[in-house]
Coordinates of all heavy atoms in Angstrom, one line a residue:
I1228 N 89.0 170.6 147.2 CA 89.7 171.9 147.2 C 91.2 171.7 147.3 O 91.9 172.4 146.6 CB 89.2 172.7 148.4 CG1 87.7 173.1 148.2 CG2 90.0 174.0 148.6 CD1 87.0 173.7 149.4
V1236 N 98.6 174.6 141.0 CA 100.0 174.9 141.2 C 100.8 174.1 140.1 O 101.7 174.6 139.5 CB 100.5 174.5 142.6 CG1 102.0 174.5 142.7 CG2 99.9 175.4 143.6
I1266 N 79.9 184.0 138.7 CA 78.4 184.2 138.6 C 77.7 182.8 138.7 O 76.7 182.6 139.4 CB 78.0 184.9 137.4 CG1 78.5 186.4 137.5 CG2 76.5 184.9 137.1 CD1 78.4 187.2 136.2
M1268 N 78.8 180.2 140.1 CA 79.0 179.7 141.5 C 77.9 180.2 142.4 O 77.5 179.5 143.3 CB 80.4 180.2 142.0 CG 80.8 179.6 143.3 SD 82.6 179.9 143.6 CE 82.7 181.7 143.7
D1277 N 63.6 180.2 148.7 CA 62.2 180.5 148.5 C 61.8 181.8 149.2 O 61.6 181.8 150.4 CB 61.4 179.3 149.2 CG 59.9 179.4 148.9 OD1 59.5 180.4 148.3 OD2 59.2 178.5 149.2
F1285 N 58.7 187.6 159.5 CA 58.2 188.8 160.2 C 57.1 188.5 161.2 O 56.8 189.3 162.1 CB 57.9 189.9 159.2 CG 59.0 190.4 158.4 CD1 59.2 189.9 157.2 CD2 60.0 191.3 159.0 CE1 60.3 190.3 156.4 CE2 61.1 191.7 158.3 CZ 61.2 191.2 157.0
V1308 N 87.1 190.8 165.4 CA 88.0 190.8 166.5 C 89.0 189.7 166.3 O 90.2 189.9 166.6 CB 87.2 190.5 167.8 CG1 88.1 190.2 169.0 CG2 86.3 191.7 168.2
I1311 N 91.6 190.8 163.8 CA 92.6 191.8 164.4 C 93.6 191.1 165.3 O 94.8 191.3 165.3 CB 91.8 192.8 165.3 CG1 90.9 193.7 164.4 CG2 92.8 193.7 166.0 CD1 91.6 194.6 163.4
L1382 N 93.2 200.4 166.1 CA 93.6 199.0 166.2 C 94.9 198.7 165.3 O 95.3 197.6 165.2 CB 92.5 198.1 165.7 CG 91.3 198.1 166.6 CD1 90.1 197.3 165.9 CD2 91.6 197.4 167.9
I1387 N 94.3 200.9 155.5 CA 93.3 200.1 154.8 C 92.2 201.0 154.2 O 91.7 201.8 154.9 CB 92.6 199.0 155.7 CG1 93.7 198.1 156.3 CG2 91.6 198.2 155.0 CD1 93.1 197.2 157.3
V1389 N 89.2 200.2 151.4 CA 88.6 199.4 150.3 C 87.6 200.3 149.6 O 86.7 200.9 150.2 CB 87.8 198.2 150.9 CG1 87.1 197.4 149.9 CG2 88.8 197.3 151.7
L1402 N 76.5 189.1 143.0 CA 75.4 188.7 143.8 C 74.0 189.1 143.2 O 73.1 188.4 143.1 CB 75.5 189.3 145.2 CG 74.5 188.9 146.3 CD1 74.5 187.4 146.5 CD2 74.7 189.6 147.6
L1416 N 59.8 178.8 136.3 CA 59.9 177.3 136.2 C 58.9 176.7 137.1 O 58.3 175.6 136.8 CB 61.3 176.8 136.5 CG 62.4 177.1 135.4 CD1 63.7 176.7 135.9 CD2 62.0 176.3 134.1
W1424 N 58.6 169.5 140.7 CA 59.6 169.3 139.6 C 60.8 170.2 139.8 O 62.0 169.8 139.7 CB 59.0 169.6 138.2 CG 60.0 169.5 137.1 CD1 60.3 168.4 136.4 CD2 60.8 170.6 136.6 NE1 61.3 168.7 135.4 CE2 61.6 170.0 135.6 CE3 61.0 171.9 136.9 CZ2 62.6 170.8 134.8 CZ3 61.9 172.7 136.2 CH2 62.7 172.1 135.2
F1425 N 60.5 171.4 140.2 CA 61.6 172.4 140.5 C 62.6 171.9 141.6 O 63.8 171.9 141.4 CB 61.0 173.8 140.8 CG 62.1 174.8 141.0 CD1 62.5 175.5 139.9 CD2 62.6 175.2 142.2 CE1 63.5 176.5 140.0 CE2 63.6 176.1 142.3 CZ 64.0 176.8 141.2
S1450 N 97.0 178.4 139.8 CA 97.9 178.3 138.6 C 98.8 179.5 138.5 O 99.9 179.4 137.9 CB 97.1 178.1 137.3 OG 96.4 179.3 137.0
F1479 N 78.4 177.8 169.5 CA 78.0 177.7 170.9 C 77.3 178.9 171.4 O 76.3 178.8 172.2 CB 79.3 177.4 171.8 CG 79.7 175.9 171.8 CD1 80.8 175.5 171.0 CD2 78.9 175.0 172.4 CE1 81.1 174.2 171.0 CE2 79.3 173.6 172.4 CZ 80.4 173.2 171.6
F1482 N 73.8 178.7 169.9 CA 73.0 177.6 170.5 C 72.5 177.9 171.9 O 71.3 177.8 172.2 CB 73.8 176.3 170.5 CG 73.0 175.1 170.9 CD1 72.4 174.3 170.0 CD2 72.9 174.8 172.3 CE1 71.7 173.1 170.4 CE2 72.1 173.6 172.7 CZ 71.5 172.8 171.7
I1490 N 63.9 178.5 172.8 CA 63.6 178.2 171.4 C 63.7 176.7 171.2 O 64.8 176.1 171.7 CB 64.5 179.0 170.5 CG1 64.1 180.5 170.5 CG2 64.3 178.5 169.0 CD1 65.1 181.4 169.8
P1491 N 62.8 176.0 170.7 CA 62.9 174.5 170.5 C 64.1 174.1 169.7 O 64.6 174.9 168.9 CB 61.6 174.2 169.7 CG 60.7 175.3 169.9 CD 61.5 176.5 170.1
I1498 N 68.9 178.3 163.5 CA 69.5 179.6 163.8 C 71.0 179.4 164.0 O 71.8 180.2 163.4 CB 68.9 180.2 165.1 CG1 67.4 180.5 164.9 CG2 69.7 181.4 165.6 CD1 66.7 180.8 166.2
N1506 N 79.1 182.7 153.6 CA 79.0 182.6 152.1 C 80.4 182.9 151.5 O 80.7 184.0 151.1 CB 78.0 183.7 151.7 CG 77.7 183.7 150.2 OD1 78.3 182.9 149.5 ND2 76.7 184.4 149.8
L1509 N 80.7 184.4 147.9 CA 80.6 185.9 147.8 C 81.9 186.5 148.2 O 82.4 187.4 147.6 CB 79.4 186.4 148.7 CG 79.3 187.9 148.7 CD1 79.0 188.4 147.3 CD2 78.1 188.3 149.7
Y1553 N 70.1 168.5 176.5 CA 69.2 169.6 176.9 C 67.8 169.5 176.3 O 66.9 170.2 176.8 CB 69.8 170.9 176.4 CG 71.2 171.3 177.1 CD1 72.3 171.2 176.3 CD2 71.2 171.6 178.4 CE1 73.6 171.5 176.9 CE2 72.4 171.9 179.0 CZ 73.6 171.8 178.3 OH 74.8 172.1 178.9

Side-chain angles (χ1 to χ4, degrees):
I1228 293 170
V1236 171
I1266 290 169
M1268 186 167 65
D1277 186 354
F1285 296 98
V1308 170
I1311 296 292
L1382 294 171
I1387 299 175
V1389 178
L1402 187 58
L1416 286 174
W1424 178 89
F1425 184 84
S1450 68
F1479 280 104
F1482 188 92
I1490 293 173
I1498 293 169
N1506 186 350
L1509 178 61
Y1553 294 110

